Amino acid sequence: MSITRRAFLHRVARAGGAAAMFSAMQALGLAPAAEASTLPDLPADFGKGRKVVVVGGGIAGLVTAYELRKAGFAPIVLEAAKRPGGRNWSARNGTRVEFTDGIVQDCSWDEGHYMNMGPARIPSIHRNLLGYCEELGVALEVEINTSRSTFMQADVLNGGKPVEQRRVIHDTRGYIAELLSKAIDRHTLDDVLTAQDRERLRAFLKGFGDLSEGNIYTGTERGGFAVARGAGPVQEKYHKPLSLSELLAADLSKGEFYEEHIDWQATMFQPVGGMDRIPYAFAKSLGEIVKYGAPVTEIRNTSKGVRVSYGENGATRTIDADFCVCAMPASILKDVKSNFAPATKAAATAIPMTSLYKVGWQAPRFWEKESNIYGGISFLKQPVDLVWYPSDRLFSKSGIVIAGFNLEYLPNGQPTEFGALASTEARIAASRMAVEKLHPGHGKDLTKPIYISWARVPYIQGATAMTTLPEMLGYYTQLNKADGQVWFAGDWLSRIVGWQEGAILSAHRAVAGIAERVRAEGLKAA
Amino acid sequence: MSITRRAFLHRVARAGGAAAMFSAMQALGLAPAAEASTLPDLPADFGKGRKVVVVGGGIAGLVTAYELRKAGFAPIVLEAAKRPGGRNWSARNGTRVEFTDGIVQDCSWDEGHYMNMGPARIPSIHRNLLGYCEELGVALEVEINTSRSTFMQADVLNGGKPVEQRRVIHDTRGYIAELLSKAIDRHTLDDVLTAQDRERLRAFLKGFGDLSEGNIYTGTERGGFAVARGAGPVQEKYHKPLSLSELLAADLSKGEFYEEHIDWQATMFQPVGGMDRIPYAFAKSLGEIVKYGAPVTEIRNTSKGVRVSYGENGATRTIDADFCVCAMPASILKDVKSNFAPATKAAATAIPMTSLYKVGWQAPRFWEKESNIYGGISFLKQPVDLVWYPSDRLFSKSGIVIAGFNLEYLPNGQPTEFGALASTEARIAASRMAVEKLHPGHGKDLTKPIYISWARVPYIQGATAMTTLPEMLGYYTQLNKADGQVWFAGDWLSRIVGWQEGAILSAHRAVAGIAERVRAEGLKAA
């Protein structure tokens, strides 16, 4: 092969666009597999004289406008709410949370406290997002997603008393190691393991489960101490292992596997001061490009480009532009008037949304002082099934603890145990009860709850679009195509649904699509 | 039982001292099992008029003096080196590292960089140390001990190419889950598992290993992507699982189990700016109580108390005091002249020391930029078997990476593969090679190595005393008793050897011992 890699990539790019080039780069081992941005490298005057309406000022919309401006386009972002960020929304002192059903909550937490009501974590594999944080000067700190000192609780385990996560994790491992070791000893896996592998696996399992003599699990230091280590003649004692039957009946697998989801693996970050530091940094950079309080009501392809109608102070206004990137949630898109093709409309209507909630409380940091819990998540088998401790301002006096982060409705529309609770008061009480279960006596220390119910947030009305369901593939594919001069963008049009990184990749793809269209028009005109 | 808990505890304390009271508190569930401090609550004038010589200004000595002063004693700390901290020593610009064999290194890293040459981590279960950090105003930040993006490398695995830790961890889990699942299906564990437990365990294993249909392990998202997730029609691909035989042959268990050692479990901390912020904070508080450059040469029990001899600017000086707390390393204690009882001397002489080393380099943060590695540790099967990335000042331009942290000699005196390397240059080269193995092309980016070899640090001459070896129990017990008016203290006289928390607990025990002696003398006098 006589052509250089660079020349080869240029040919690929000419022939198939940025996405093809990226794939080729991956194939050559030049692009890391952790990111799949198709953002083209465009000259600063590439889009000169072309106007683009970006509908929605969430991360996808903000990134779209930010990148289009870099390439010389004239973007304008129409955001329905009075703030940027969409689901990237942090509650803090002064935040008003209004639901579509009229419920209003005003946050009055102490200065400096916040709850990231939407996204709250940035895994280190989300490189595009990390890149924007660096570019925009958003300071990051470690988000502690896992701490072995957090609790797990199930009524059928340990008499219902919470146990430290380290005990559940390591007792479970111990039993698994013992059982597999026994199966090997009984020669029941000889047909699938060589003698050497059996020997090595047995040795590995001894370490994996911290097994005692005879490859029996009898407890481990990894689970912590019933009698603590000290100086002098103190002899520490491990905890008596939890019962395997109880562990299995409790089924704490959600908590046990949580840290290993690819997007929840250490190392993770959060912006110092709240996740919304990211959209605010974009918004600051974009300045007047972003128009707030401007809900879009109609998007039409026209013979010359697009016409977008939106409300502003009660009046309806229209903008004509060359292109549109529609970065609204699927839940809102479906109700926007348009002259989209039937296939586009059908897709927009078909995609169901999840309905996540969170409840945050201000409280003194009893979890740090009394239980050595610094960040991380405790898991319970209760209507509110997790308690998430703050990673910010550790060792300070008080903090925001999130008691409850899960679905209110199942994909089939049935309410969850939490969602079935009749009133906001009952939900708040269930949240408090989860903390009380884990930290007896401290339920009463929780103050000033803020409850976010994403299905009821105006202009959002849902948490994540379920585009990864196998039956959604056709709709996902459809909306990943432009309809006339309109591109669609959002985390839900990527394979990282529910994450800002997905929104960014989707925005990049929309920008790439527009760039290709501009290039194609140029070729046609020439 | 008609007496109150408080009254009961007072009785226990009178009868058996602080340690007994603490045990009783633990039994009553009043003291958390994570700490076992026996520090008595003494009035501020308790030790009035009593002088205590503390030998050694490491953490044990500093804490001893700090607590004795609180209780009205007049402590004086004699420290051989020109700085406080002992093994808690951070190299930074201007640090001179001198070995007993004459090797001298001067550190000239950029301002703000440091390497914690001794202790480098504070687990959140080390509450006494966290308490002192709070009391002394030492700011802490998260120390990232585990990151799934770090690498593992063994020549027999994956053709010697490093793989992300997440692949090793999750492929191993996948195989374990598949094999145990298979053993259950073959009814070979029916005698030890009920039918219900078998059913539940199978379901658990499916999640634990992320098994495919038929409970076969075919790869998992948890291991990351061979083809990354993107927006649009990109279809991500998991990595093909590593070979089980190769994984077993590689034996990466050190790295796989590392994060689960009780003292290495998340959440962990480090002081902002270097671990030595802790001894410097103690030293600042103690002021002139700490005398530097004052190596102790002799400790004698006298009829009235103790007489301690030390060198100062070439002269020998003596101090008479009521009590002495000897907080030297075991390696130094054995050579100090004394009139200790034969059993004490025998114990001091018998305890072997480990010989840890570290090599730190200044380098641009290629591990962050190119490999998404933010903190954590990569593991290799090479003479230098780990590379530890900085948790401080993430996202900045350069940082200190530690390539190599392990033993130079085995307990039997035989050199390790690293220790057998003939010269400092060869060891530095091995350190660089470890980074090159993991980050090809970047070995050359490492600059200004600092090599600490604890066996050769004056007045320390070793890393950790091996008092937890079963055959050491007698000596451990012996040195945990006072010899006349002399108490011994150090991490090695606790059950948390090699950790500052152990040094603190031991210091507390020495203070408790002195307090009991003072009380006993008071009773005798009365």
Side-chain angles (χ1 to χ4, degrees):
Chain A
M1 182 163 126
S2 65
I3 59 170
T4 63
R5 277 182 169 189
R6 192 179 167 82
F8 169 69
L9 289 171
H10 273 267
R11 279 192 208 177
V12 172
R14 265 206 308 274
M21 181 164 95
F22 186 81
S23 299
M25 284 178 72
Q26 279 199 328
L28 288 171
L30 298 178
E35 53 182 16
S37 169
T38 53
L39 186 69
D41 189 15
L42 300 171
D45 62 349
F46 180 86
K48 205 176 159 190
R50 293 180 197 259
K51 203 162 156 182
V52 185
V53 179
V54 178
V55 181
I59 294 299
L62 293 167
V63 169
T64 300
Y66 185 79
E67 292 298 341
L68 285 173
R69 186 184 56 174
K70 272 190 194 168
F73 290 88
I76 178 157
V77 179
L78 299 174
E79 166 54 46
K82 298 284 170 64
R83 58 170 185 85
R87 281 163 294 160
N88 181 333
W89 188 19
S90 306
R92 55 170 65 77
N93 189 32
T95 301
R96 168 164 286 198
V97 178
E98 287 186 87
F99 292 162
T100 46
D101 60 7
I103 291 177
V104 177
Q105 301 167 79
D106 286 303
C107 182
S108 61
W109 292 334
D110 291 350
E111 213 49 57
H113 286 323
Y114 67 85
M115 161 167 71
N116 294 322
M117 295 190 285
R121 299 178 268 224
I122 305 176
S124 43
I125 57 169
H126 288 187
R127 293 179 65 148
N128 292 287
L129 181 52
L130 292 184
Y132 283 119
C133 288
E134 186 172 0
E135 201 169 315
L136 295 165
V138 176
L140 300 177
E141 63 189 356
V142 174
E143 193 272 342
I144 304 158
N145 204 38
T146 300
S147 176
R148 287 283 181 258
S149 294
T150 57
F151 289 119
M152 292 191 167
Q153 189 275 339
D155 293 343
V156 298
L157 178 69
N158 195 39
K161 267 189 75 174
V163 292
E164 285 183 341
Q165 187 191 95
R166 53 171 59 90
R167 291 181 64 188
V168 173
I169 296 279
H170 294 294
D171 286 351
T172 304
R173 279 197 201 194
Y175 289 123
I176 287 175
E178 176 184 330
L179 288 167
L180 182 51
S181 197
K182 198 183 294 286
I184 294 169
D185 288 347
R186 289 175 175 184
H187 295 282
T188 56
L189 296 165
D190 287 7
D191 59 328
V192 291
L193 291 169
T194 67
Q196 191 175 43
D197 283 352
R198 290 199 300 275
E199 203 48 57
R200 287 172 170 165
L201 182 53
R202 215 183 335 238
F204 179 86
L205 290 169
K206 194 167 165 54
F208 182 77
D210 199 11
L211 301 182
S212 300
E213 216 47 55
N215 290 340
I216 302 300
Y217 180 65
T218 58
T220 173
E221 183 182 68
R222 298 173 191 164
F225 302 98
V227 174
R229 297 169 298 177
V234 173
Q235 183 57 54
E236 68 271 17
K237 284 210 184 80
Y238 305 158
H239 287 288
K240 187 169 166 285
L242 300 162
S243 138
L244 174 60
S245 288
E246 284 188 15
L247 283 168
L248 291 171
D251 184 20
L252 291 158
S253 54
K254 174 176 175 173
E256 291 194 65
F257 308 153
Y258 202 87
E259 71 198 73
E260 301 299 359
H261 283 266
I262 183 66
D263 295 307
W264 291 341
Q265 291 175 7
T267 310
M268 303 198 75
F269 298 106
Q270 62 184 14
V272 176
M275 190 60 86
D276 66 354
R277 299 304 89 191
I278 296 172
Y280 277 96
F282 274 113
K284 188 180 169 195
S285 166
L286 290 169
E288 295 192 349
I289 288 171
V290 187
K291 205 182 246 307
Y292 301 98
V296 166
T297 50
E298 188 168 1
I299 303 171
R300 299 189 72 82
N301 281 297
T302 64
S303 56
K304 292 180 185 170
V306 293
R307 170 165 292 185
V308 176
S309 308
Y310 64 99
E312 191 174 38
N313 300 325
T316 299
R317 300 185 187 280
T318 60
I319 306 182
D320 290 311
D322 296 286
F323 306 110
C324 173
V325 176
C326 183
M328 302 164 121
S331 45
I332 304 298
L333 174 61
K334 72 175 165 43
D335 294 328
V336 168
K337 278 189 277 181
S338 73
N339 60 353
F340 294 152
T344 306
K345 287 190 178 181
T349 309
I351 298 168
M353 301 289 287
T354 67
S355 58
L356 292 166
Y357 78 93
K358 278 182 188 165
V359 179
W361 303 83
Q362 179 174 317
R365 293 184 184 243
F366 52 82
W367 53 89
E368 295 184 1
K369 284 282 173 200
E370 294 181 12
S371 308
N372 302 319
I373 294 175
Y374 297 88
I377 303 175
S378 288
F379 295 90
L380 311 83
K381 302 289 275 194
Q382 302 293 340
V384 162
D385 75 345
L386 65 76
V387 171
W388 188 351
Y389 308 93
S391 294
D392 70 306
R393 305 196 303 172
L394 298 168
F395 306 105
S396 64
K397 208 165 162 283
S398 61
I400 304 303
V401 63
I402 293 171
F405 164 44
N406 209 331
L407 299 174
E408 299 194 289
Y409 292 87
L410 297 171
N412 65 13
Q414 290 299 305
T416 59
E417 208 178 340
F418 179 85
L421 295 169
S423 63
T424 298
E425 289 66 33
R427 293 174 190 199
I428 297 290
S431 170
R432 191 193 294 275
M433 187 48 63
V435 172
E436 179 66 25
K437 272 266 180 197
L438 298 171
H439 303 275
H442 288 296
K444 66 170 168 36
D445 295 335
L446 304 175
T447 61
K448 302 180 178 178
I450 292 291
Y451 164 47
I452 184 82
S453 170
W454 281 105
R456 288 182 279 167
V457 173
Y459 306 120
I460 294 183
Q461 296 188 279
T464 59
M466 292 184 250
T467 42
T468 51
L469 295 174
E471 63 269 30
M472 289 295 132
L473 184 59
Y475 303 126
Y476 172 86
T477 307
Q478 180 63 44
L479 290 174
N480 258 302
K481 293 175 195 157
D483 185 305
Q485 334 300 326
V486 182
W487 280 259
F488 302 94
D491 60 286
W492 51 290
L493 293 171
S494 81
R495 301 287 297 180
I496 319 183
V497 176
W499 290 90
Q500 297 174 85
E501 182 78 357
I504 293 169
L505 293 173
S506 179
H508 287 180
R509 193 164 184 279
V511 172
I514 289 175
E516 282 177 41
R517 183 74 60 88
V518 169
R519 278 207 196 89
E521 285 174 8
L523 290 175
K524 225 186 292 173
Chain B
M1 183 164 128
S2 65
I3 59 170
T4 63
R5 278 180 167 190
R6 193 180 167 83
F8 169 71
L9 289 170
H10 273 267
R11 279 192 205 175
V12 171
R14 267 205 307 274
M21 182 163 92
F22 186 81
S23 299
M25 283 178 73
Q26 280 199 326
L28 288 171
L30 298 179
E35 52 183 17
S37 168
T38 53
L39 186 68
D41 190 14
L42 301 171
D45 62 349
F46 179 88
K48 207 177 158 189
R50 294 180 197 259
K51 203 162 160 181
V52 185
V53 179
V54 178
V55 181
I59 295 298
L62 293 168
V63 170
T64 300
Y66 185 79
E67 292 297 342
L68 285 173
R69 185 182 57 173
K70 272 190 195 169
F73 290 88
I76 179 157
V77 178
L78 300 174
E79 167 53 48
K82 296 285 169 64
R83 58 169 185 83
R87 281 163 292 160
N88 181 333
W89 188 19
S90 305
R92 55 170 65 77
N93 188 32
T95 301
R96 168 162 285 199
V97 177
E98 289 186 85
F99 291 162
T100 47
D101 60 9
I103 290 177
V104 176
Q105 301 167 80
D106 286 304
C107 182
S108 61
W109 292 335
D110 292 348
E111 211 49 56
H113 285 324
Y114 67 84
M115 163 170 69
N116 294 322
M117 295 192 285
R121 297 177 269 224
I122 306 176
S124 44
I125 56 168
H126 288 185
R127 293 180 67 150
N128 292 287
L129 181 52
L130 291 184
Y132 282 119
C133 288
E134 187 174 358
E135 200 169 315
L136 295 164
V138 176
L140 300 177
E141 64 190 356
V142 174
E143 193 274 338
I144 303 158
N145 204 38
T146 299
S147 177
R148 287 282 180 256
S149 294
T150 57
F151 288 119
M152 291 191 168
Q153 189 275 342
D155 293 343
V156 298
L157 178 70
N158 196 38
K161 266 190 74 174
V163 291
E164 285 182 342
Q165 186 192 95
R166 53 171 60 89
R167 292 181 64 189
V168 173
I169 296 280
H170 293 294
D171 285 351
T172 304
R173 280 197 200 193
Y175 289 122
I176 287 175
E178 176 184 330
L179 288 167
L180 181 51
S181 199
K182 200 183 292 287
I184 294 169
D185 287 346
R186 289 176 174 183
H187 296 282
T188 55
L189 296 166
D190 288 7
D191 59 327
V192 291
L193 290 170
T194 66
Q196 190 175 45
D197 284 351
R198 290 200 301 274
E199 204 47 57
R200 286 172 171 164
L201 181 53
R202 213 181 340 233
F204 179 86
L205 290 169
K206 193 165 166 53
F208 183 77
D210 199 11
L211 301 182
S212 300
E213 217 46 55
N215 290 339
I216 304 299
Y217 180 64
T218 59
T220 172
E221 184 183 66
R222 297 173 191 162
F225 302 98
V227 174
R229 296 170 299 177
V234 174
Q235 184 56 56
E236 68 270 18
K237 285 210 183 80
Y238 305 158
H239 288 288
K240 187 170 167 286
L242 300 163
S243 136
L244 175 60
S245 287
E246 285 187 17
L247 283 168
L248 291 170
D251 184 20
L252 291 158
S253 54
K254 175 175 174 174
E256 290 195 66
F257 308 153
Y258 202 86
E259 70 199 73
E260 301 299 359
H261 283 267
I262 184 66
D263 295 308
W264 292 341
Q265 291 175 6
T267 311
M268 302 199 75
F269 298 105
Q270 62 185 13
V272 176
M275 190 61 84
D276 66 354
R277 299 303 90 189
I278 296 172
Y280 277 97
F282 274 114
K284 188 180 169 197
S285 167
L286 291 169
E288 295 192 349
I289 287 172
V290 186
K291 205 181 243 309
Y292 300 100
V296 166
T297 50
E298 188 169 3
I299 303 172
R300 300 189 72 82
N301 279 297
T302 64
S303 57
K304 290 179 185 170
V306 293
R307 170 165 291 185
V308 176
S309 308
Y310 65 98
E312 191 174 38
N313 301 324
T316 299
R317 301 186 186 277
T318 60
I319 306 183
D320 290 310
D322 296 286
F323 307 109
C324 173
V325 176
C326 182
M328 303 166 121
S331 45
I332 304 300
L333 174 61
K334 70 175 167 40
D335 294 328
V336 168
K337 276 189 279 181
S338 74
N339 61 351
F340 295 152
T344 306
K345 287 190 177 181
T349 308
I351 298 168
M353 300 290 286
T354 66
S355 59
L356 292 166
Y357 78 93
K358 279 183 189 165
V359 180
W361 303 83
Q362 181 173 316
R365 293 182 185 243
F366 51 82
W367 53 88
E368 294 185 0
K369 284 281 173 202
E370 294 181 14
S371 308
N372 301 320
I373 295 175
Y374 298 88
I377 303 175
S378 287
F379 294 90
L380 310 84
K381 302 289 275 195
Q382 302 293 342
V384 162
D385 75 344
L386 65 76
V387 172
W388 188 351
Y389 308 93
S391 296
D392 70 307
R393 304 197 303 174
L394 298 169
F395 307 104
S396 64
K397 209 165 163 284
S398 61
I400 304 303
V401 61
I402 293 172
F405 164 45
N406 209 330
L407 298 173
E408 299 194 290
Y409 293 87
L410 296 172
N412 65 12
Q414 290 299 305
T416 59
E417 209 179 338
F418 179 85
L421 294 170
S423 64
T424 299
E425 290 65 32
R427 293 173 190 203
I428 296 290
S431 170
R432 190 192 294 274
M433 186 47 62
V435 172
E436 179 66 23
K437 273 266 179 195
L438 298 171
H439 303 276
H442 287 297
K444 65 169 169 38
D445 295 335
L446 304 175
T447 61
K448 303 181 177 178
I450 292 291
Y451 163 48
I452 183 83
S453 171
W454 281 104
R456 288 182 279 168
V457 174
Y459 307 121
I460 294 183
Q461 295 187 269
T464 59
M466 292 184 251
T467 41
T468 51
L469 294 175
E471 61 269 31
M472 289 295 134
L473 184 58
Y475 302 126
Y476 172 86
T477 307
Q478 180 63 43
L479 290 175
N480 258 301
K481 293 176 195 157
D483 185 304
Q485 333 301 325
V486 182
W487 279 259
F488 303 94
D491 61 284
W492 51 288
L493 293 171
S494 82
R495 301 287 297 180
I496 318 181
V497 176
W499 289 90
Q500 298 174 83
E501 183 77 357
I504 293 169
L505 292 174
S506 179
H508 287 181
R509 194 165 182 278
V511 172
I514 289 174
E516 281 177 41
R517 182 76 59 90
V518 169
R519 277 206 195 90
E521 284 174 7
L523 289 175
K524 226 187 289 173

